[in-house]
Amino acid sequence: MPPITPQPGIMEIDLYVGGKSSIAGRAEVLKLSSNENPLGPPPAAQEAMIAAAARAHLYPSTDHAALRQAIGEVHGLDPDRIICGVGSDEVLQFVTQAFAGAGDEIIHTEHGFSLYPVLIHMAGATPVCVPEKDRVVDVDAILAAVTERTRIVLLTNPGNPTGTKLDDAELARLIETLPQDIILVLDGAYTEYAAGYDGGAAHVHDRPNLLMARTFSKIYGLGGLRIGWGYGPREMIEVMTRIRQPFNLSGLQLEAAEAAVRDRAWVRDCAALNTAQRARLTGALRQLGLACDDSETNFVLARFATPDEAEQAHQALLDEGIIVRQVAGYGFPEGLRITVGDADQTGRVIDTLTRWRETQDG
Ligand SMILES: *Cc1c(COP(=O)(O)O)cnc(C)c1O
């Protein structure tokens, strides 16, 4: 009998490792490892879910019309060019699966999202990883990596775990220069935290090869619910819709997301809180002699002198019940990625690291 063998690429997949969420022997922890919203889910979304629960026996909408309409209204986009997925992760899966396969290459950058290689191998395609320059995406490195086999470029902007944003002129240059038969995916999970940035939406309007991916997991505080969306050319969305399961999103997801996206005051308040606490955390880390770039996201990447020092600080935080993200897997063994919490939570991080520094020096 012939052996049972998986499709090409499947065995290349290293399982995605998420942020830690518990500490052995501790009931109460402060989780700052997954860039979740410290204010939780918006009350309007919670009410929508409770109302939707009574209708759980009914199959949900397959065309997501109401949610696409709401997103379109709020962001000034054509609802017919929007596709909704189980987190933006699923939208990224649609594009890689629909447009690349065995023998094709997909470019991503050195410090890009660690899910990308998983999705690329799932499609049977080959990942091509290009370097960044001082923790910022390097447009020339991307362009230099393009071959006749390149189908897609996956770009996290602003970056995770770097927190940096590609300069608008550089983004425009990449869009202008990249051959138009290569899809450029703008993964804008942190768009709402970057002042004045639209996630690249203005570029997507009139380009045949751009896809913007957005999420309800970060500023909307709905990471546990799994909702994301993409905006691209009508033809691209039409292709991706063919591989989308008809009932990929439940009624609870759809109604919560619609309530959340319409609650603009919530988004404004969350962004304002983040901006204030991010500045405070960044300033405090620098005062402690740690290197950190200006962040355009809801986290800060603190860089220590050595991996060993980062490990000691990590342990000091764990001893106080605070979980942050080790990012050696993203190319930063000397770094810790710290989600920006509320004022109280940020204070705890600063106090703990300050005390750790004192004991270290003493
Ligand atoms: C958090 C995050 C996402 C969002 O993923 P969801 O599937 O929408 O939860 C996408 N890209 C990056 C880079 C992220 O950090």
Side-chain angles (χ1 to χ4, degrees):
M1 270 219 311
I4 294 171
T5 38
Q7 289 292 304
I10 304 293
M11 299 313 288
E12 316 284 327
I13 295 172
D14 292 321
L15 291 187
Y16 178 82
V17 183
K20 239 202 288 276
S21 59
S22 63
I23 302 173
R26 250 196 132 97
E28 297 262 333
V29 296
L30 170 53
K31 185 179 177 221
L32 299 174
S33 57
S34 297
N35 304 335
E36 292 149 340
N37 190 326
L39 300 182
Q46 297 186 46
E47 284 159 25
M49 280 188 270
I50 290 165
R55 294 186 292 275
H57 60 301
L58 301 173
Y59 270 90
S61 145
T62 78
D63 63 8
H64 308 153
L67 176 56
R68 288 188 296 106
Q69 181 67 32
I71 294 170
E73 278 172 30
V74 164
H75 293 284
L77 305 175
D78 178 356
D80 287 344
R81 295 176 53 181
I82 294 171
I83 186 169
C84 302
V86 179
S88 55
D89 290 359
E90 194 184 32
V91 175
L92 298 172
Q93 185 186 344
F94 293 150
V95 69
T96 49
Q97 195 182 333
F99 293 101
D104 296 332
E105 293 173 355
I106 300 181
I107 295 174
H108 65 95
T109 68
E110 185 183 1
H111 305 303
F113 192 22
S114 64
L115 183 71
Y116 296 161
V118 175
L119 297 174
I120 295 168
H121 287 305
M122 273 169 72
T126 305
V128 175
C129 181
V130 305
E132 298 190 12
K133 206 172 181 172
D134 297 331
R135 300 168 302 285
V136 180
V137 165
D138 180 354
V139 168
D140 289 317
I142 292 174
L143 293 171
V146 169
T147 73
E148 65 205 13
R149 289 200 294 273
T150 307
R151 295 287 168 267
I152 301 172
V153 175
L154 296 172
L155 189 75
T156 322
N157 194 38
N160 172 15
T162 58
T164 62
K165 181 164 132 318
L166 182 58
D167 177 72
D168 289 338
E170 278 296 279
L171 177 62
R173 184 167 74 88
L174 174 62
I175 290 167
E176 291 300 324
T177 318
L178 193 72
Q180 294 210 339
D181 60 346
I182 297 174
I183 296 172
L184 174 61
V185 178
L186 301 170
D187 178 352
Y190 301 97
T191 297
E192 293 84 355
Y193 299 108
Y197 184 54
D198 69 353
H203 293 288
V204 181
H205 290 318
D206 56 359
R207 293 267 159 184
N209 63 325
L210 294 191
L211 179 74
M212 173 174 75
R214 301 282 291 271
T215 185
F216 283 92
S217 297
K218 304 289 158 57
I219 204 159
Y220 289 101
L222 295 173
L225 211 53
R226 316 302 306 128
I227 318 145
W229 55 282
Y231 171 64
R234 206 177 283 260
E235 299 72 26
M236 194 190 292
I237 298 298
E238 202 268 335
V239 171
M240 289 163 60
T241 300
R242 287 167 188 267
I243 57 167
R244 177 176 70 73
Q245 290 197 28
F247 302 109
N248 64 328
L249 291 176
S250 70
L252 263 74
Q253 287 167 299
L254 291 167
E255 294 192 34
E258 186 183 338
V261 78
R262 290 190 188 281
D263 192 348
R264 301 322 290 164
W266 169 267
V267 174
R268 252 193 325 273
D269 292 349
C270 292
L273 172 69
N274 184 72
T275 302
Q277 297 307 316
R278 181 176 67 192
R280 177 179 169 217
L281 179 61
T282 304
L285 293 171
R286 287 178 183 157
Q287 284 255 298
L288 292 172
L290 302 172
C292 71
D293 298 316
D294 286 330
S295 166
E296 304 266 6
T297 63
N298 67 340
F299 57 83
V300 172
L301 178 64
R303 284 173 291 126
F304 293 77
T306 61
D308 195 46
E309 207 185 85
E311 178 53 44
Q312 290 165 24
H314 182 234
Q315 195 54 54
L317 289 161
L318 286 177
D319 290 346
E320 291 299 321
I322 303 170
I323 308 176
V324 300
R325 187 76 175 261
Q326 293 184 292
V327 281
Y330 285 86
F332 294 110
E334 77 290 9
L336 293 178
R337 191 192 68 188
I338 307 170
T339 301
V340 176
D342 63 19
D344 200 50
Q345 296 167 342
T346 305
R348 281 180 61 189
V349 171
I350 294 171
D351 291 348
T352 303
L353 288 176
T354 303
R355 277 198 305 277
W356 163 76
R357 230 353 165 206
E358 285 163 5
T359 53
Q360 186 197 32
D361 292 346

